[in-house]
Amino acid sequence: MVTGGAGFIGCHVVKRLIRKYPAVRVVVYDALTYAGNLANLADIEGQPGYVFVRGDITDAAAVERTMRNHDIDCIINLAAESHVDRSITDPLLFARTKVMGTLTLLYTASRVWEDDTGGKLFYHISTDEVYGSLGFGERPFTESTPYAPRSPYSASKASSDHFVRAFGETYGLPVVISNCSNNYGPYQFPEKLIPLVINNVGNNRPIPVYGTGENVRDWLYVEDHAAAIDLITDRGVPGETYNIGGGCELSNLGLVKMIISLTDRRLGRPKGASDGLVTFVRDRSGHDLRYAIDHSKITAELGWRPSTGLEEGLEKTVDWYIGNTGWLDNVTSGEYMEYYDRMYGGQ
Ligand code: NAD
Ligand code: TYD
């Protein structure tokens, strides 16, 4: 059962599992919030093995019914609110979904599986943001870096991670966690930096860069993350945590300039045509300066490493967004536009 399977990372995970393991049934359990979109899974609709259930992870009865109806032996938990800026305007929603939602899943799984945990797995997808903010020159996060979340997004995620570990220790639930760096690629909702820049270049709209644009993120192509999730589901050791990262640190401003240049080229515009769209705006409150992941454990123990370089991944991403304007128009209409005005209006 893949919770949040209709979202950005989830849809890549689900499609990979369906294509690679024809004998496995994959139940997508998703509430279809603004970030969940069945169009993300259109390629596999009707395929044997794929089942969609609309449901909320905070709804214990619905989770239990789905687990029992489909004889679920593995949960990959990707259901979450995922945007830091939204967590600043609506922290209670993040606590509800990520803390209470994850706790509800854990509690239900521990009851449904209580007679036999053999061959079962509760796999929780977390983020590098729980480790807090690194200074320039500090060593990347390892699995033993203490948690130090600084936003409601990362605090609610950290809380859910602690509950996952607590259920491993207290109830013997076979749990595993992975903490991944920033993902990018097709089907990412265009409130996140990379698709937002591609979309705004395409529409000649200003590109909001928070603060000075010096903040650094470690970028990973989403299909590499899906490959790591597949591997951990198969061979990850219960009780363990695995860090996943792209080994690809870049400042926001450097990244924005790369995307502008790739998008202009793809649209056949002259070099530098959209450079003037960059607009420095008020910084995000509590904006983490830098994230960087040391992924040597998963490389040594499971043989995973990122396989898509940044330039290649960005080219694929730009191509996908420019070739899928229907998808983009659909998700940028209505609610999204109001949100956009609220977040960036007047700047
Ligand atoms: P997303 O926002 O694109 O998708 C989240 C999905 O969860 C959506 O399909 C949404 O409908 C669903 N959902 C939300 N609330 C729900 C609820 N209460 N019940 C059931 N479904 C619900 O997010 P994403 O970028 O795909 O991220 C997935 C997970 O991976 C999140 O936990 C996120 O914190 C984590 N993560 C994301 C990144 C990244 O860069 N995107 C990096 C590391 C970790
Ligand atoms: P985002 O994609 O929201 O991911 P996260 O906050 O989880 O790292 O943002 C990536 C970086 O880009 C982050 O440092 C905030 C910055 N940013 C901007 O400068 N402008 C924007 O419009 C957005 C959405 C983000």
Side-chain angles (χ1 to χ4, degrees):
M1 178 161 101
V2 182
T3 69
F8 164 50
I9 300 171
C11 77
H12 289 277
V13 171
V14 169
K15 286 188 253 195
R16 181 183 176 95
L17 298 178
I18 288 284
R19 288 181 185 136
K20 193 166 157 197
Y21 307 104
V24 168
R25 186 149 27 105
V26 180
V27 177
V28 173
Y29 184 89
D30 198 298
L32 297 181
T33 67
Y34 79 95
N37 189 346
L38 283 178
N40 298 357
L41 294 165
D43 310 358
I44 54 163
E45 214 179 286
Q47 293 235 8
Y50 164 57
V51 178
F52 179 78
V53 176
R54 184 168 193 184
D56 195 304
I57 57 167
T58 61
D59 182 345
V63 170
E64 178 165 350
R65 201 165 49 242
T66 308
M67 286 191 70
R68 293 196 189 282
N69 284 350
H70 297 281
D71 201 13
I72 297 297
D73 59 3
C74 172
I75 295 175
I76 304 178
N77 182 29
L78 289 135
E81 291 295 328
S82 66
H83 190 36
V84 175
D85 293 327
R86 287 183 189 253
S87 84
I88 296 169
T89 52
D90 196 355
L92 295 183
L93 174 64
F94 280 65
R96 179 186 167 276
T97 300
K98 293 160 79 180
V99 185
M100 288 311 294
T102 304
L103 182 53
T104 303
L105 279 178
L106 286 162
Y107 185 55
T108 308
S110 68
R111 287 176 47 245
V112 173
W113 294 341
E114 88 187 317
D115 293 335
D116 180 15
T117 53
K120 309 289 197 301
L121 183 68
F122 189 103
Y123 177 8
H124 182 62
I125 308 300
S126 187
T127 165
D128 60 358
E129 306 194 21
V130 294
Y131 297 123
S133 179
L134 283 173
F136 296 122
E138 279 189 276
R139 297 176 77 80
F141 304 126
T142 68
E143 287 80 0
S144 52
T145 302
Y147 275 27
R150 300 176 68 250
S151 73
Y153 167 78
S154 50
S156 53
K157 183 59 100 177
S159 171
S160 68
D161 294 3
H162 290 316
F163 272 112
V164 172
R165 290 205 179 87
F167 269 69
E169 299 294 338
T170 306
Y171 302 92
L173 195 69
V175 296
V176 72
I177 298 177
S178 58
N179 296 75
C180 190
S181 63
N182 285 61
N183 285 213
Y184 68 98
Y187 298 103
Q188 187 168 31
F189 197 84
E191 64 189 348
K192 305 279 169 65
L193 182 65
I194 291 182
L196 183 139
V197 174
I198 301 169
N199 190 28
N200 286 17
V201 171
N203 292 300
N204 276 308
R205 278 206 302 253
I207 296 164
V209 173
Y210 299 166
T212 59
E214 67 176 339
N215 304 66
V216 167
R217 299 292 182 261
D218 175 353
W219 293 96
L220 178 70
Y221 191 60
V222 64
E223 286 184 6
D224 283 339
H225 189 190
I229 291 173
D230 173 9
L231 194 60
I232 292 170
T233 306
D234 196 23
R235 294 186 19 222
V237 178
E240 291 293 318
T241 291
Y242 299 91
N243 276 359
I244 306 169
C248 174
E249 288 185 56
L250 203 67
S251 73
N252 292 341
L253 189 57
L255 177 68
V256 165
K257 286 182 174 166
M258 256 180 102
I259 304 167
I260 292 176
S261 148
L262 288 169
T263 310
D264 273 344
R265 197 166 74 202
R266 177 66 171 70
L267 292 171
R269 294 181 186 166
K271 202 168 161 35
S274 304
D275 290 358
L277 294 176
V278 171
T279 309
F280 292 95
V281 299
R282 187 170 52 82
D283 208 356
R284 171 186 282 172
S285 306
H287 195 175
D288 289 339
L289 180 63
R290 173 176 166 243
Y291 306 135
I293 275 274
D294 175 345
H295 62 78
S296 53
K297 176 177 170 180
I298 186 174
T299 303
E301 294 184 9
L302 302 181
W304 177 91
R305 52 174 55 74
S307 69
T308 312
L310 184 68
E311 178 127 5
E312 181 195 349
L314 285 179
E315 271 175 8
K316 284 190 194 176
T317 307
V318 167
D319 274 359
W320 187 85
Y321 279 94
I322 289 174
N324 287 277
T325 44
W327 183 92
L328 204 49
D329 291 345
N330 182 34
V331 303
T332 52
S333 60
E335 201 259 311
Y336 176 76
M337 292 312 291
E338 281 169 39
Y339 164 76
Y340 193 89
D341 285 347
R342 211 164 55 241
M343 292 304 295
Y344 306 118
Q347 299 240 20

